[in-house]
Amino acid sequence: MLVLYETAAGYALFKLVNDAKLEKAEDIWKDFETPEKANKAIKLRAFNKFENTTDALSAVTGIVEGKIPKNLKKFLETEMSKKDIKNEKLVISDPKLGSAINKKLGINVISDSTVIDLYRGIREQFESLVSGLSSADMSAMSLGLSHSLSRYKLKFSPDKVDTMIVQAIALLDDLDKELNTYAMRVKEWYGWHFPEMGKIIVDNLAYAKVVKMMGFRTNAHATELSAILPEELELEVKEAAEISMGTEISDEDINNIHSLCDQVISITEYRQQLYEYLKNRMNAIAPNLTVLVGELVGARLISHAGSLMNLAKQPASTIQILGAEKALFRALKTKHNTPKYGLIYHASLVGQAGPKIKAKIARVLATKTAIALRVDALGEGDSADVGLDGRVKVESRIQMLEGRSNARANKDKPAQKQQKFQFNKTAQYNAQSDVVMTEATESKKRPIEEVEEVEEKKEKKEKKEKKEKKEKKEKKEKE
């Protein structure tokens, strides 16, 4: 009986001395307690060393997927003769690999639970069984091969890691929330001192910079704000500062407000930097998706699906309502109309469409997005041609639908042709068509007197019957 043992250094083929020991799998560990016992129980028949890391990686990936690597097939064919293939049994730890070897090479394979203890013993005494391989070398080879296998599984490329997009869009949303909270706090805090400026300056960043530069409102006239505001707004701020109704604040108050303004300015600058980073990442990973729906919507779709590959596996109908799951299940539960769009509603192409055709455009855009996603996830090129073609088709569809609706609205009804008036002569009076009234025939109804007599007879008859019944009952009781 032969044993195939796969290592990071290569393939080892052992010969089991006593085949009967495998039948008692519970006691097989005793044969591997010491190196001497292990060498008596099992003998090394052949060892095939990997030439380089690429050779080892191709072999390991094949074994992981349950396929026979080329170097393993060649090794088994050279080391096992036709006689061995017919008579010998091969012990293999992986059942998938065992079934593949059995199908392709016709070797009798054993790969059940009884071989676990055998492989555990070989692993413990491997250094003594195979000369020339130390444990330090084996651990270094295993580490290098595991890293290579991980990179292969992830298809590692620094420009193709969609995890960065998921993290970046989540951080961008968090920054927007924090920025809004801080900006509102600055306006409320400084609003006690200069409330009129909140209505004049709407932008949060400009407001924080003006507060940082101006300080107290009394300094507004002497402060140069042209670097931050246009001339019209600068004049309005200076005029409003002279007649402001705000309360006075201390130096300590203005210092704390300045610290908060610094936070708003720094967060805003970092948000702009993060947006540029996200934009570059999206153009590198999903150029076609970015062209169709934009960086933010595309990143949110990827984040919602979990990865670019997961999103590429979704059909167009799912992409269309991605992000509106609650509304979808609520509609299905209550038997109402299902939602027409989810995150894709925020795409610029859907925003361009009119309210009546938004749903149609969302459906068309979702279809083109599904195609673009599969090209980005599975294609090898980095061009955005598919996305550009899809965008042109969606824009032409918008123009066609809007033109059709406008044409339908502005369409004049065709002027109805006035028919020529024809004078119709009135028909002459026909005396035969008149209905002649005839005298009413005598009624066949009976007179009232007869009806009353019949009713009286019936009543008398009923009374007699009642009396007779009573008399019969009394007679029976007496008897």
Side-chain angles (χ1 to χ4, degrees):
M1 190 178 290
L2 300 175
V3 181
L4 179 67
Y5 187 77
E6 308 93 3
T7 66
Y11 302 113
L13 190 65
F14 293 100
K15 172 70 176 175
L16 194 64
V17 177
N18 189 2
D19 297 348
K21 288 184 179 181
L22 195 61
E23 295 175 2
K24 296 180 180 180
E26 300 85 10
D27 301 330
I28 203 168
W29 61 273
K30 295 177 182 178
D31 295 325
F32 292 92
E33 286 181 336
T34 60
E36 292 80 11
K37 287 184 178 180
N39 282 305
K40 288 179 182 178
I42 199 166
K43 301 288 183 182
L44 179 65
R45 181 166 175 174
F47 187 82
N48 183 23
K49 192 176 180 180
F50 294 133
E51 294 178 1
N52 48 36
T53 310
T54 308
D55 190 22
L57 180 61
S58 63
V60 172
T61 50
I63 291 169
V64 168
E65 293 171 1
K67 298 175 182 177
I68 308 175
K70 290 181 180 178
N71 48 12
L72 176 59
K73 186 180 178 183
K74 187 177 179 182
F75 172 65
L76 290 173
E77 285 175 348
T78 53
E79 295 298 330
M80 292 181 70
S81 62
K82 292 182 179 179
K83 187 178 179 182
D84 290 337
I85 291 171
K86 288 181 180 179
N87 300 328
E88 291 284 353
K89 291 183 179 179
L90 185 65
V91 179
I92 297 174
S93 59
D94 189 5
K96 289 183 181 178
L97 180 63
S99 63
I101 289 172
N102 187 17
K103 285 179 182 176
K104 285 200 172 183
L105 301 177
I107 302 171
N108 295 324
V109 174
I110 299 172
S111 58
D112 51 11
S113 58
T114 58
V115 302
I116 295 172
D117 290 329
L118 175 62
Y119 274 90
R120 189 180 290 117
I122 295 171
R123 195 182 306 115
E124 288 176 359
Q125 304 296 338
F126 186 75
E127 191 175 350
S128 63
L129 292 170
V130 180
S131 59
L133 285 175
S134 63
S135 59
D137 293 339
M138 285 298 299
S139 61
M141 289 177 189
S142 299
L143 183 63
L145 185 58
S146 62
H147 286 177
S148 300
L149 182 61
S150 300
R151 288 193 192 96
Y152 173 78
K153 280 188 172 182
L154 294 171
K155 292 184 172 57
F156 183 77
S157 171
D159 297 330
K160 287 284 185 181
V161 180
D162 51 5
T163 310
M164 305 301 170
I165 289 176
V166 175
Q167 300 296 333
I169 192 65
L171 180 58
L172 198 68
D173 292 338
D174 292 340
L175 285 176
D176 286 337
K177 290 177 185 177
E178 293 294 326
L179 195 59
N180 287 334
T181 305
Y182 282 15
M184 285 175 63
R185 185 62 58 202
V186 167
K187 287 185 178 181
E188 287 181 8
W189 202 346
Y190 193 72
W192 287 97
H193 179 61
F194 191 1
E196 292 83 5
M197 194 172 80
K199 294 181 180 178
I200 297 169
I201 304 173
V202 181
D203 185 55
N204 295 331
L205 181 61
Y207 189 94
K209 286 182 177 180
V210 168
V211 172
K212 187 85 171 57
M213 188 175 287
M214 184 171 62
F216 295 105
R217 68 170 184 266
T218 53
N219 303 331
H221 188 69
T223 307
E224 184 65 28
L225 302 173
S226 59
I228 304 169
L229 300 174
E231 292 182 6
E232 299 84 9
L233 288 179
E234 186 180 358
L235 289 172
E236 283 187 35
V237 169
K238 290 181 177 179
E239 289 173 1
E242 295 177 359
I243 57 170
S244 177
M245 300 293 291
T247 59
E248 297 297 328
I249 56 176
S250 63
D251 292 336
E252 188 179 359
D253 296 333
I254 201 71
N255 289 334
N256 284 309
I257 293 171
H258 281 173
S259 299
L260 188 57
C261 289
D262 290 336
Q263 293 288 329
V264 172
I265 293 167
S266 64
I267 291 173
T268 306
E269 289 174 354
Y270 177 61
R271 189 204 176 279
Q272 292 173 354
Q273 179 188 346
L274 184 66
Y275 175 72
E276 289 297 323
Y277 165 78
L278 180 65
K279 188 177 178 181
N280 294 333
R281 275 277 176 236
M282 283 297 296
N283 285 324
I285 293 172
N288 294 290
L289 177 65
T290 306
V291 168
L292 274 171
V293 298
E295 300 87 11
L296 292 176
V297 177
R300 285 195 172 90
L301 286 170
I302 293 171
S303 176
H304 198 83
S307 67
L308 181 65
M309 187 61 70
N310 289 345
L311 186 61
K313 291 175 183 176
Q314 305 296 333
S317 57
T318 304
I319 295 170
Q320 184 182 347
I321 60 168
L322 206 66
E325 287 84 3
K326 285 186 179 178
L328 173 65
F329 291 120
R330 193 190 310 122
L332 292 172
K333 190 177 180 180
T334 55
K335 295 182 180 178
H336 285 82
N337 293 333
T338 53
K340 296 173 183 175
Y341 22 61
L343 290 169
I344 208 168
Y345 178 80
H346 301 287
S348 59
L349 288 170
V350 178
Q352 291 174 17
K356 290 184 178 179
I357 61 171
K358 274 187 190 296
K360 290 182 180 179
I361 297 304
R363 187 161 56 250
V364 174
L365 182 61
T367 307
K368 300 300 178 187
T369 304
I371 298 169
L373 277 165
R374 285 156 197 172
V375 173
D376 289 333
L378 305 170
E380 295 179 356
D382 295 332
S383 65
D385 296 337
V386 176
L388 289 169
D389 292 342
R391 189 177 182 89
V392 169
K393 288 179 181 178
V394 174
E395 286 174 350
S396 63
R397 179 70 174 163
I398 291 171
Q399 291 175 1
M400 188 186 75
L401 289 172
E402 286 183 346
R404 188 189 296 171
S405 60
N406 292 335
R408 196 179 296 162
N410 299 328
K411 195 175 182 181
D412 295 325
K413 292 183 178 180
Q416 293 180 354
K417 292 183 180 180
Q418 188 174 3
Q419 293 180 354
K420 188 176 180 181
F421 178 75
Q422 293 179 355
F423 179 75
N424 295 324
K425 293 182 179 180
T426 55
Q428 292 182 355
Y429 179 75
N430 187 8
Q432 294 179 355
S433 62
D434 290 344
V435 178
V436 181
M437 299 294 291
T438 57
E439 292 182 2
T441 56
E442 292 182 359
S443 171
K444 293 182 179 180
K445 292 182 178 179
R446 292 184 297 175
I448 297 171
E449 293 81 6
E450 291 182 4
V451 174
E452 287 178 352
E453 287 179 1
V454 172
E455 288 178 356
E456 284 179 1
K457 287 179 180 179
K458 282 183 179 180
E459 287 178 1
K460 287 178 180 180
K461 192 175 181 180
E462 287 175 359
K463 285 179 180 180
K464 283 182 179 180
E465 288 176 354
K466 284 180 180 180
K467 281 181 181 181
E468 289 176 356
K469 285 180 181 180
K470 281 182 181 181
E471 288 175 357
K472 286 180 180 178
K473 281 182 180 181
E474 288 175 356
K475 284 180 181 179
K476 286 181 180 179
E477 288 174 358
K478 286 176 180 180
E479 291 176 355

PDB file of all heavy atoms in Angstrom, residues 44-56:
ATOM      1  N   LEU A  44      10.220   5.589   2.660  1.00  0.00           N
ATOM      2  CA  LEU A  44      10.130   6.559   1.565  1.00  0.00           C
ATOM      3  C   LEU A  44      10.458   5.876   0.245  1.00  0.00           C
ATOM      4  O   LEU A  44      11.541   5.268   0.090  1.00  0.00           O
ATOM      5  CB  LEU A  44      11.095   7.724   1.810  1.00  0.00           C
ATOM      6  CG  LEU A  44      11.114   8.805   0.728  1.00  0.00           C
ATOM      7  CD1 LEU A  44       9.772   9.527   0.666  1.00  0.00           C
ATOM      8  CD2 LEU A  44      12.237   9.804   0.974  1.00  0.00           C
ATOM      9  N   ARG A  45       9.574   5.960  -0.713  1.00  0.00           N
ATOM     10  CA  ARG A  45       9.796   5.341  -2.024  1.00  0.00           C
ATOM     11  C   ARG A  45      10.324   6.359  -3.035  1.00  0.00           C
ATOM     12  O   ARG A  45      11.222   6.051  -3.824  1.00  0.00           O
ATOM     13  CB  ARG A  45       8.490   4.723  -2.520  1.00  0.00           C
ATOM     14  CG  ARG A  45       8.620   4.034  -3.869  1.00  0.00           C
ATOM     15  CD  ARG A  45       7.438   3.167  -4.153  1.00  0.00           C
ATOM     16  NE  ARG A  45       7.485   2.598  -5.489  1.00  0.00           N
ATOM     17  CZ  ARG A  45       6.636   1.705  -5.952  1.00  0.00           C
ATOM     18  NH1 ARG A  45       5.665   1.255  -5.165  1.00  0.00           N
ATOM     19  NH2 ARG A  45       6.748   1.240  -7.171  1.00  0.00           N
ATOM     20  N   ALA A  46       9.735   7.563  -3.038  1.00  0.00           N
ATOM     21  CA  ALA A  46      10.190   8.597  -3.980  1.00  0.00           C
ATOM     22  C   ALA A  46       9.793   9.973  -3.442  1.00  0.00           C
ATOM     23  O   ALA A  46       8.832  10.095  -2.671  1.00  0.00           O
ATOM     24  CB  ALA A  46       9.590   8.383  -5.362  1.00  0.00           C
ATOM     25  N   PHE A  47      10.564  10.988  -3.884  1.00  0.00           N
ATOM     26  CA  PHE A  47      10.255  12.373  -3.490  1.00  0.00           C
ATOM     27  C   PHE A  47      10.463  13.276  -4.695  1.00  0.00           C
ATOM     28  O   PHE A  47      11.541  13.246  -5.337  1.00  0.00           O
ATOM     29  CB  PHE A  47      11.158  12.814  -2.333  1.00  0.00           C
ATOM     30  CG  PHE A  47      10.783  14.162  -1.769  1.00  0.00           C
ATOM     31  CD1 PHE A  47       9.754  14.296  -0.846  1.00  0.00           C
ATOM     32  CD2 PHE A  47      11.449  15.306  -2.181  1.00  0.00           C
ATOM     33  CE1 PHE A  47       9.409  15.534  -0.347  1.00  0.00           C
ATOM     34  CE2 PHE A  47      11.102  16.547  -1.687  1.00  0.00           C
ATOM     35  CZ  PHE A  47      10.084  16.662  -0.761  1.00  0.00           C
ATOM     36  N   ASN A  48       9.449  14.057  -5.032  1.00  0.00           N
ATOM     37  CA  ASN A  48       9.503  14.979  -6.169  1.00  0.00           C
ATOM     38  C   ASN A  48       9.510  16.412  -5.631  1.00  0.00           C
ATOM     39  O   ASN A  48       8.518  16.883  -5.094  1.00  0.00           O
ATOM     40  CB  ASN A  48       8.293  14.752  -7.086  1.00  0.00           C
ATOM     41  CG  ASN A  48       8.344  15.634  -8.317  1.00  0.00           C
ATOM     42  OD1 ASN A  48       9.424  16.077  -8.714  1.00  0.00           O
ATOM     43  ND2 ASN A  48       7.193  15.879  -8.915  1.00  0.00           N
ATOM     44  N   LYS A  49      10.629  17.091  -5.788  1.00  0.00           N
ATOM     45  CA  LYS A  49      10.764  18.448  -5.249  1.00  0.00           C
ATOM     46  C   LYS A  49      10.250  19.475  -6.256  1.00  0.00           C
ATOM     47  O   LYS A  49      10.456  19.322  -7.470  1.00  0.00           O
ATOM     48  CB  LYS A  49      12.241  18.717  -4.943  1.00  0.00           C
ATOM     49  CG  LYS A  49      12.478  19.961  -4.112  1.00  0.00           C
ATOM     50  CD  LYS A  49      13.967  20.096  -3.781  1.00  0.00           C
ATOM     51  CE  LYS A  49      14.214  21.340  -2.947  1.00  0.00           C
ATOM     52  NZ  LYS A  49      15.647  21.504  -2.620  1.00  0.00           N
ATOM     53  N   PHE A  50       9.584  20.530  -5.742  1.00  0.00           N
ATOM     54  CA  PHE A  50       9.110  21.613  -6.607  1.00  0.00           C
ATOM     55  C   PHE A  50      10.309  22.419  -7.099  1.00  0.00           C
ATOM     56  O   PHE A  50      11.248  22.703  -6.336  1.00  0.00           O
ATOM     57  CB  PHE A  50       8.143  22.539  -5.859  1.00  0.00           C
ATOM     58  CG  PHE A  50       6.848  21.876  -5.477  1.00  0.00           C
ATOM     59  CD1 PHE A  50       6.331  22.007  -4.199  1.00  0.00           C
ATOM     60  CD2 PHE A  50       6.129  21.128  -6.389  1.00  0.00           C
ATOM     61  CE1 PHE A  50       5.136  21.413  -3.833  1.00  0.00           C
ATOM     62  CE2 PHE A  50       4.933  20.518  -6.050  1.00  0.00           C
ATOM     63  CZ  PHE A  50       4.439  20.660  -4.762  1.00  0.00           C
ATOM     64  N   GLU A  51      10.258  22.827  -8.360  1.00  0.00           N
ATOM     65  CA  GLU A  51      11.383  23.576  -8.941  1.00  0.00           C
ATOM     66  C   GLU A  51      11.450  24.996  -8.406  1.00  0.00           C
ATOM     67  O   GLU A  51      12.511  25.517  -8.120  1.00  0.00           O
ATOM     68  CB  GLU A  51      11.253  23.591 -10.470  1.00  0.00           C
ATOM     69  CG  GLU A  51      11.396  22.215 -11.090  1.00  0.00           C
ATOM     70  CD  GLU A  51      11.211  22.241 -12.594  1.00  0.00           C
ATOM     71  OE1 GLU A  51      10.994  23.355 -13.128  1.00  0.00           O
ATOM     72  OE2 GLU A  51      11.275  21.175 -13.217  1.00  0.00           O
ATOM     73  N   ASN A  52      10.293  25.651  -8.299  1.00  0.00           N
ATOM     74  CA  ASN A  52      10.255  27.038  -7.809  1.00  0.00           C
ATOM     75  C   ASN A  52       8.898  27.299  -7.159  1.00  0.00           C
ATOM     76  O   ASN A  52       8.047  26.399  -7.075  1.00  0.00           O
ATOM     77  CB  ASN A  52      10.519  28.038  -8.948  1.00  0.00           C
ATOM     78  CG  ASN A  52       9.679  27.737 -10.171  1.00  0.00           C
ATOM     79  OD1 ASN A  52       8.528  27.304 -10.066  1.00  0.00           O
ATOM     80  ND2 ASN A  52      10.261  27.930 -11.349  1.00  0.00           N
ATOM     81  N   THR A  53       8.676  28.545  -6.725  1.00  0.00           N
ATOM     82  CA  THR A  53       7.419  28.911  -6.044  1.00  0.00           C
ATOM     83  C   THR A  53       6.233  28.838  -6.994  1.00  0.00           C
ATOM     84  O   THR A  53       5.135  28.452  -6.588  1.00  0.00           O
ATOM     85  CB  THR A  53       7.530  30.351  -5.470  1.00  0.00           C
ATOM     86  OG1 THR A  53       8.744  30.449  -4.733  1.00  0.00           O
ATOM     87  CG2 THR A  53       6.367  30.663  -4.553  1.00  0.00           C
ATOM     88  N   THR A  54       6.446  29.197  -8.245  1.00  0.00           N
ATOM     89  CA  THR A  54       5.343  29.150  -9.227  1.00  0.00           C
ATOM     90  C   THR A  54       4.862  27.718  -9.428  1.00  0.00           C
ATOM     91  O   THR A  54       3.646  27.457  -9.512  1.00  0.00           O
ATOM     92  CB  THR A  54       5.815  29.730 -10.574  1.00  0.00           C
ATOM     93  OG1 THR A  54       6.402  31.003 -10.348  1.00  0.00           O
ATOM     94  CG2 THR A  54       4.662  29.864 -11.545  1.00  0.00           C
ATOM     95  N   ASP A  55       5.833  26.789  -9.506  1.00  0.00           N
ATOM     96  CA  ASP A  55       5.491  25.375  -9.655  1.00  0.00           C
ATOM     97  C   ASP A  55       4.707  24.879  -8.439  1.00  0.00           C
ATOM     98  O   ASP A  55       3.712  24.156  -8.562  1.00  0.00           O
ATOM     99  CB  ASP A  55       6.777  24.566  -9.826  1.00  0.00           C
ATOM    100  CG  ASP A  55       6.487  23.126 -10.236  1.00  0.00           C
ATOM    101  OD1 ASP A  55       5.396  22.882 -10.778  1.00  0.00           O
ATOM    102  OD2 ASP A  55       7.340  22.252 -10.004  1.00  0.00           O
ATOM    103  N   ALA A  56       5.156  25.289  -7.247  1.00  0.00           N
ATOM    104  CA  ALA A  56       4.462  24.889  -6.020  1.00  0.00           C
ATOM    105  C   ALA A  56       3.066  25.496  -5.953  1.00  0.00           C
ATOM    106  O   ALA A  56       2.090  24.828  -5.548  1.00  0.00           O
ATOM    107  CB  ALA A  56       5.283  25.317  -4.806  1.00  0.00           C
TER     108      ALA A  56
END
